[in-house]
Amino acid sequence: MRLRTSLAAVGVAAALVLTGCAGGGGSDADSAGAALTIAKPDGAITTESNNPYLGDSSASKYGYGKVIFESLALVNPTGDLGTTPWLAESVEWNDDYTQLTAVARSGVKWSDGEDFTADDIAFSYNQVLDGKLNDTNALDLKSVTVDGDTVTIDFNSSKYTQQARVLHFQIVPEHIWKDIKDPNTDPVTGEGQAVGTGPYVLDSWTTESVTLAANPDYWGGELAVPELHYVSYGDNAALTTALATGEADWAQAFIPQIEDSYLSADPDNKFLASPTAGAGTLFMNLQTKPFNDPALRQALAWTIDRQAYVDIAREGASEAIWSVTGLGTLLEDEIVPEYAGQNYEVDIDKARQILTDAGYTWDGETLVDPDGEDVTFSISVPAGWSDWNTEQALLAEELKEGLGIEVKVDQPDWGGWDAARQEGTFQAIIHWLEDTGNAYGLYTSAMDPKWIVDGKAAFNFGRFDDPEVTAALNTYANASSDADRDAAIAVIEKAFVENVPVIPLGAHPLLGEFNTRNYVGWPSADDQYASADPTQPAIVQILTKLQPAE
């Protein structure tokens, strides 16, 4: 599915501007609603840094940087995968996605009262172009120009598969940041430095809690929530207790036995799992036995129960992927006609027939390969990754009972697992995919040699290599027409179906726990205008939609 502009969301943003010009909710809890406490399980965060560009800053770790510094547009990773213009009134790509044209939203002010202009947008991107700010998002900029309210950004390569990275780049005020010598290290904690266009402004910072107050001049209108408190708990257990007791209001976490430990504690407690274009995926080492045989991989694809992965390992917080193309429901419109409606199912007889036709036999209940060797392998997932640890056990049971394969469950520490996946010394692992918001994410993750540098893999851990597929992946990423991209995807999907280089299990979800005691208007299964994950850029969109509960 291609990223597309969400007209409904644009209308909502416009309505907020028109109706909210009287100012925001301020920080007076008596005249407005209750504060919201947003929690994470990351342990103590001891050093203040409000720099939105640093992944290890407190603004990034807590997530509060996203309600201070905004971006040109919001790309929905779930729902309709739509693009909602935000600080830009409009965003438009050229045919090959090497140029972005953005019109700066009028009537926006920085939280210190200065006017926001197109020059601020240009300055923000030029920090990267000029080499002042590290290009951690791989923007690969060519030029940035301003003409009135319009900013034109040119790139050295197509950004079709990286639209979210470009559009979510946070915009900062030129009148403050021009004096910051090194934006790669500056904590932005000086007096009057944490200035943004966002719905909230920094009020106080301590190692126990960070407080933000509603921006009274926010361009998006009056805010129902007057104050946000950001808190970090020691682990998931402490976070779960805080959510269940109402000490925390909003979080993103995988909570085991969520019905008993959280939802049943209060009818106002809610949980939303939003599927994305990514997926929890079984990667197999295609270079060694037993996975160097496509027939064995095909048999596994007809044996593995994806619904059990969703219901048991993920406790319902996912969506099973059954299409032979590996694409989930969000990307159904990218499935070529040849494979539309063609799905795997648990069919042990079919799996066994595939193996029989390929020369496999059984010694009693044990599967034996054409070389006369028992088929056995290990599946590796770091210890403590409870959902995927559960899936390891499920796979071992399914493959033993269905096909007679002895599966060893391997649960190393992170370091050992990481080294094995990079160096290709594993047999099978469960891993995530690159999520590009379209089909490219799955296929580049599974089949693209570009990820292997100096013998180490960042994706394509099985080391699939087919020049025709590589060329098609490059065409898909850089095409200047839908026709060229459609032709490329047909080649890619055919190779994926025939080779089964990986087996997607279930859509990778964005998770959100929240309550409706004080506010309504949250995303829901019926209205996925955003995920409910407060660490995502769309938190600003959610906060403009929340209204007091009656």
Side-chain angles (χ1 to χ4, degrees):
M1 182 176 289
R2 286 123 173 110
L3 301 182
R4 50 188 179 269
T5 300
S6 173
L7 296 178
V10 174
V12 169
L16 283 167
V17 172
L18 291 173
T19 60
C21 58
S27 58
D28 183 357
D30 292 329
S31 61
L36 280 180
T37 296
I38 301 172
K40 294 191 76 177
D42 299 337
I45 298 174
T46 58
T47 303
E48 179 181 4
S49 173
N50 304 312
N51 191 325
Y53 297 128
L54 305 185
D56 62 353
S57 70
S58 59
S60 298
K61 288 181 177 179
Y62 275 117
Y64 67 81
K66 290 184 172 64
V67 300
I68 296 176
F69 302 98
E70 297 183 299
S71 56
L72 295 182
L74 302 174
V75 179
N76 191 357
T78 188
D80 65 357
L81 300 180
T83 297
T84 302
W86 205 250
L87 270 185
E89 292 184 352
S90 65
V91 290
E92 183 176 350
W93 293 93
N94 68 347
D95 288 343
D96 65 359
Y97 289 80
T98 59
Q99 184 181 85
L100 174 69
T101 302
V103 177
R105 188 174 293 281
S106 61
V108 177
K109 288 186 178 294
W110 294 102
S111 57
D112 63 0
E114 294 286 330
D115 289 336
F116 161 79
T117 70
D119 289 331
D120 293 306
I121 298 174
F123 170 83
S124 298
Y125 286 94
N126 271 325
Q127 292 181 107
V128 176
L129 182 62
D130 296 341
K132 188 177 180 181
L133 179 65
N134 294 336
D135 190 9
T136 56
N137 290 301
L139 299 180
D140 194 21
L141 294 164
K142 182 178 182 180
S143 66
V144 181
T145 58
V146 178
D147 182 6
D149 292 333
T150 300
V151 181
T152 302
I153 306 173
D154 289 281
F155 305 88
N156 290 310
S157 56
S158 173
K159 297 297 146 186
Y160 180 78
T161 63
Q162 297 174 298
Q163 293 172 63
R165 287 189 180 185
V166 173
L167 295 172
H168 287 165
F169 184 76
Q170 288 166 294
I171 308 302
V172 296
E174 179 180 11
H175 66 279
I176 291 174
W177 283 68
K178 67 181 180 181
D179 296 323
I180 293 178
K181 292 182 179 180
D182 187 357
N184 299 295
T185 60
D186 197 297
V188 195
T189 54
E191 183 69 27
Q193 280 194 313
V195 170
T197 58
Y200 290 82
V201 296
L202 187 63
D203 185 56
S204 65
W205 200 102
T206 72
T207 56
E208 286 77 34
S209 176
V210 181
T211 298
L212 290 92
N215 181 354
D217 298 314
Y218 183 52
W219 64 267
E222 187 172 356
L223 298 156
V225 182
E227 201 168 80
L228 304 176
H229 301 299
Y230 282 82
V231 178
S232 184
Y233 292 87
D235 52 34
N236 264 9
L239 174 59
T240 300
T241 298
L243 287 166
T245 61
E247 181 179 289
D249 298 301
W250 192 3
Q252 171 269 323
F254 178 74
I255 300 177
Q257 291 86 49
I258 192 169
E259 177 64 42
D260 293 336
S261 60
Y262 170 63
L263 295 176
S264 63
D266 189 322
D268 285 322
N269 287 348
K270 306 296 180 184
F271 170 63
L272 180 64
S274 301
T276 68
T281 299
L282 180 69
F283 280 81
M284 300 161 283
N285 191 332
L286 311 183
Q287 306 306 308
T288 62
K289 294 181 69 172
F291 297 115
N292 58 352
D293 183 0
L296 188 281
R297 304 196 297 267
Q298 290 168 3
L300 262 59
W302 285 100
T303 303
I304 294 171
D305 189 346
R306 282 75 154 178
Q307 197 59 49
Y309 168 77
V310 171
D311 294 342
I312 301 172
R314 294 291 309 171
E315 297 188 28
S318 184
E319 181 180 272
I321 295 177
W322 291 103
S323 170
V324 295
T325 65
L327 299 177
T329 57
L330 287 182
L331 300 175
E332 282 180 337
D333 65 350
E334 290 207 64
I335 297 175
V336 299
E338 180 180 357
Y339 299 117
Q342 290 195 31
N343 297 321
Y344 288 115
E345 58 183 292
V346 177
D347 189 334
I348 304 302
D349 290 339
K350 185 177 183 71
R352 284 180 168 249
Q353 187 60 55
I354 290 171
L355 293 171
T356 299
D357 292 345
Y360 289 77
T361 57
W362 281 266
D363 180 5
E365 296 298 319
T366 300
L367 181 64
V368 179
D369 69 20
D371 296 327
E373 297 178 352
D374 292 354
V375 178
T376 181
F377 60 85
S378 65
I379 298 178
S380 183
V381 172
W385 292 16
S386 58
D387 52 342
W388 286 355
N389 292 156
T390 300
E391 178 60 15
Q392 288 177 287
L394 289 173
L395 289 171
E397 180 181 348
E398 292 165 4
L399 298 178
K400 177 68 173 178
E401 292 184 359
L403 301 180
I405 298 174
E406 191 71 37
V407 177
K408 176 185 176 184
V409 172
D410 180 33
Q411 297 182 0
D413 61 20
W414 161 264
W417 182 77
D418 180 44
R421 66 174 178 156
Q422 290 189 56
E423 296 164 6
T425 57
F426 67 94
Q427 288 189 291
I429 59 174
I430 303 174
H431 202 280
W432 55 90
L433 301 175
E434 176 85 343
D435 182 3
T436 60
N438 44 45
Y440 182 81
L442 163 62
Y443 298 130
T444 187
S445 297
M447 299 190 289
D448 200 336
K450 77 173 186 180
W451 295 106
I452 303 168
V453 179
D454 296 331
K456 293 188 175 182
F459 278 110
N460 187 15
F461 305 106
R463 288 168 162 73
F464 182 92
D465 192 354
D466 181 327
E468 185 180 12
V469 174
T470 302
L473 285 165
N474 291 335
T475 296
Y476 182 99
N478 296 287
S480 58
S481 71
D482 287 343
D484 288 346
R485 195 169 285 111
D486 289 343
I489 200 67
V491 172
I492 296 166
E493 289 185 15
K494 184 174 189 293
F496 185 89
V497 171
E498 293 178 352
N499 289 279
V500 195
V502 302
I503 301 176
L505 303 170
H508 184 70
L510 290 171
L511 309 178
E513 292 88 13
F514 54 91
N515 65 70
T516 56
R517 285 188 288 275
N518 296 311
Y519 299 102
V520 295
W522 302 89
S524 66
D526 295 328
D527 185 12
Q528 302 239 20
Y529 66 84
S531 77
D533 181 344
T535 69
Q536 297 296 308
I539 183 174
V540 292
Q541 190 175 15
I542 296 171
L543 288 165
T544 60
K545 285 179 172 286
L546 293 184
Q547 296 296 323
E550 295 182 358

